[in-house]
């Protein structure tokens, strides 16, 4: 017998197809659905096996994990033109105020400042020691004041009268020369300065003129490049002193030394030049181991002992002067 198709199954018998009779028995033939099968929802596979998993969706029983966010830290703000503007410095101050370590550090710093303040005050009031060659000037009969300049002691004697003795072979005349100020330094007493000045002025001649001219600038301030009572330097003092006897000198130590003749110390006389070997300074020899000079900025024209630095003597005045 041939195959005969049976009518379609009712609505309640979905999934069955036409019935084929074979060998006297009815066999149901499954109907093939040509429509696209919808996608199976994804999920955890069942423990019953792959066959069941393909048709069964297992939901998660564990609730989803939740994460809580901490509340935002309050930030200090400053009002500018009615609007709130965040201030980084205010935030730092607030954090430091709440930080115990910062409070302890601030307290320790304050205590250290209180403890160190007396030591700093004592240190700032200390002065350097006076050089060994700057002995205290001896007390003499003249009224004067002792002061300190660049940690070097010196004495200022005022209204000093120096006797000048002159003779013409028949008559001896004593003249008193008054100086408003005589400045001595490094242990030279006023009496020593008077004696040296009296000797050179009593000898007379060009040397006396050179020394007396230079003494007129005693006590005037040192000014680099100066050659007047408003200010004068070392080579300016020798220049104006020798100009009084008609000898022009250039306002420069090396040139003055080059124009002079170097002589040994044993032949040096008052009025000769005393020059540093490095050509950095020059003074006028007074005799008795004393030098009249314009020393350095901040000082005044004074009388000091012979230089301890390397030096030599130079003669500008002609022989016999």
């Amino acid at each position: 017998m041939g195959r005969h198709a049976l009518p379609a199954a009712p609505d309640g018998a979905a999934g069955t197809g036409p019935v084929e009779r074979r060998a006297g028995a009815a066999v149901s033939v499954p109907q093939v659905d040509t429509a696209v099968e919808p996608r199976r929802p994804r999920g955890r596979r069942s423990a019953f096996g792959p066959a069941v998993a393909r048709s069964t969706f297992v939901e998660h029983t564990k609730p989803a994990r939740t994460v809580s966010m901490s509340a935002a830290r309050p930030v200090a703000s400053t009002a500018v033109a009615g609007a709130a503007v965040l201030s980084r410095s205010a935030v730092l101050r607030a954090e430091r105020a709440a930080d115990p370590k910062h409070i302890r550090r601030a307290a320790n710093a304050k205590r250290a400042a209180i403890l160190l303040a007396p030591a700093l005050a004592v240190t700032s009031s200390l002065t350097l020691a006076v050089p060994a060659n700057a002995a205290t000037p001896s007390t003499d009969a003249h009224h004067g004041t002792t002061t300190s300049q660049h940690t070097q002691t010196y004495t200022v004697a005022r209204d000093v009268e120096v006797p000048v003795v002159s003779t013409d072979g028949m008559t001896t005349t004593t003249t008193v020369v008054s100086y408003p100020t005589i400045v001595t330094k490094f242990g030279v007493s006023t009496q020593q300065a008077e004696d040296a000045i009296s000797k050179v002025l009593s000898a007379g001649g060009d040397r006396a003129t050179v020394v007396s001219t230079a003494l007129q600038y005693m006590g005037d301030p040192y000014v680099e490049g100066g050659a007047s009572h408003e200010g004068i330097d070392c080579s300016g003092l020798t220049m104006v002193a020798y100009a009084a006897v008609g000898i022009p000198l250039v306002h420069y130590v090396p040139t003055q030394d080059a124009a002079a003749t170097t002589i040994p110390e044993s032949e040096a006389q008052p009025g000769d030049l005393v020059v540093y070997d490095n050509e950095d300074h020059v003074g006028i020899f007074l005799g008795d181991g004393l030098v009249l000079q314009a020393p350095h900025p901040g000082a005044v024209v004074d009388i000091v002992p012979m230089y301890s630095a390397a030096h030599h003597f130079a003669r500008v005045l002609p022989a016999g002067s």
Side-chain angles (χ1 to χ4, degrees), residues 154-181:
Y154 65 92
T155 300
V156 178
R158 302 186 181 279
D159 300 326
V160 177
E161 295 181 348
V162 178
V164 177
V165 179
S166 61
T167 180
D168 56 1
M170 299 292 296
T171 305
T172 300
T173 304
T174 301
T175 305
V176 177
V177 179
S178 178
Y179 290 95
T181 300

